[in-house]
Amino acid sequence: MDRRRVLIVDAFAEEPLAGNPAGVVPDAEGLDEGQMAAIADELGASETVFFGASDAADRRLRYFTPEGEIDLCGHATVAGHAHLFSDGVIDAGSHTFETNVGVLDVEVESDGAVWMTVQPPEVREVVADESRVAEALGIDAAAIVTDELPIAVASTGLPYLVVPLDYLSSLGGIDPDQEAIEDLTAEFDATGVYAFTFDTLDAESTLHGRMFAPGEGIPEDPVTGTASGAAGAYLRHAGAFETMPGEMIFEQGHYVDRPGRVRVRVGTEIEVGGEAATALDGDLRVPEGDDDEIIEA
């Protein structure tokens, strides 16, 4: 029976048991899709990243939730590269990785912080019934501040329905109707709903966000890299600032007891970055790929 090293690495956190946990399989060569899906299900993280060989980039990355494969995951990318750096597999500097959505760049700083260059942004404002959006989020419609900023679908690899709210109390008071949110995301062809406010816990932070993606099996994600990149693109599109800050800090995860911070740069390219901490490091026994139990896991 095959044995593979597996880790749980908490992205966008300086210490374990905070931020967003990602499964990391640093050597996935020879694993088939059924085995990857079973490993992701066993680890139980919202996403698990599998590292393999690539002819187009330094490495091939594949991402699986307990529900199945997805094209891209920011926090797992940060977690995986932070592990490779701490393990001495890669040095500080620039690296490339191949995903289902193309080849992307990652920069590892000497202190272990990882920056991912996301895909070129796409932002489209949408006509959404504010009462319906508010009902899905379980908040008062008056908390949605579309007189200042639009509701829009923003993407830098994965699309999110971005909803601006007035105060942290409104964001914290969200009581999501998961079925209604899934209907919303399906209608607007979005991965999830990202609600945010400029009202923050830390004076240094730019905004506080929450992300819900029940259609992907994620009732609420602790800290979301791809959604943060999309939110950065959205802020520039909406003209939220007279001059875009050189670097922004997005808070997330506090309402699910997994506080974290995502660093976002919006320039010629959009970059999402942060630190990561290893919480678990061990081996997993993996049956052969033609084992029916693995296929069904």
Side-chain angles (χ1 to χ4, degrees):
M1 190 171 290
D2 195 3
R3 300 182 75 94
R4 298 288 172 139
R5 185 183 185 189
V6 297
L7 303 96
I8 298 293
V9 181
D10 297 330
F12 305 122
E14 296 180 0
E15 296 181 349
L17 309 186
N20 199 347
V24 177
V25 181
D27 178 12
E29 283 299 303
L31 295 177
D32 63 29
E33 289 187 5
Q35 290 171 309
M36 292 183 194
I39 291 170
D41 188 49
E42 184 73 16
L43 291 178
S46 58
E47 286 88 7
T48 293
V49 59
F50 295 83
F51 282 80
S54 170
D55 293 329
D58 294 329
R59 288 160 192 86
R60 172 72 164 107
L61 272 61
R62 296 182 67 177
Y63 309 89
F64 283 78
T65 76
E67 303 292 322
E69 187 171 13
I70 61 172
D71 291 336
L72 182 66
C73 176
H75 86 272
T77 300
V78 168
H81 283 88
H83 160 67
L84 293 185
F85 175 73
S86 67
D87 213 38
V89 176
I90 61 175
D91 296 326
S94 300
H95 305 270
T96 59
F97 61 101
E98 179 187 0
T99 73
N100 289 352
V101 297
V103 174
L104 300 175
D105 297 322
V106 70
E107 181 80 19
V108 181
E109 297 183 342
S110 58
D111 63 357
V114 178
W115 286 91
M116 180 178 75
T117 300
V118 295
Q119 284 194 303
E122 297 179 6
V123 182
R124 54 182 171 91
E125 298 182 21
V126 298
V127 178
D129 184 335
E130 292 178 28
S131 297
R132 180 185 171 201
V133 174
E135 186 175 349
L137 293 174
I139 58 173
D140 192 314
I144 302 176
V145 289
T146 51
D147 56 329
E148 301 173 22
L149 295 167
I151 295 176
V153 174
S155 174
T156 53
L158 293 177
Y160 294 90
L161 185 67
V162 183
V163 181
L165 301 185
D166 51 5
Y167 301 115
L168 194 61
S169 56
S170 299
L171 190 73
I174 287 177
D175 182 16
D177 180 331
Q178 298 292 348
E179 185 175 346
I181 288 177
E182 187 170 355
D183 289 342
L184 268 179
T185 55
E187 178 179 335
F188 291 106
D189 195 23
T191 298
V193 172
Y194 184 84
F196 78 93
T197 176
F198 291 121
D199 193 15
T200 61
L201 295 170
D202 191 327
E204 295 182 353
S205 298
T206 306
L207 61 78
H208 197 115
R210 297 180 71 179
M211 199 285 284
F212 309 90
E216 300 296 330
I218 305 170
E220 180 169 0
D221 204 34
V223 195
T224 320
T226 52
S228 296
Y234 165 92
L235 294 178
R236 179 168 63 184
H237 169 88
F241 306 103
E242 187 172 331
T243 302
M244 285 296 295
E247 182 174 315
M248 297 178 285
I249 297 174
F250 294 176
E251 303 173 343
Q252 194 181 339
H254 297 70
Y255 294 102
V256 290
D257 296 323
R258 302 282 311 195
R261 304 192 322 160
V262 185
R263 297 159 64 185
V264 180
R265 297 171 181 163
V266 178
T268 305
E269 298 177 311
I270 296 179
E271 299 173 280
V272 173
E275 293 76 30
T278 298
L280 180 148
D281 187 349
D283 292 331
L284 187 68
R285 298 172 67 204
V286 183
E288 295 299 323
D290 61 356
D291 190 317
D292 288 342
E293 293 181 2
I294 279 292
I295 297 299
E296 295 171 1

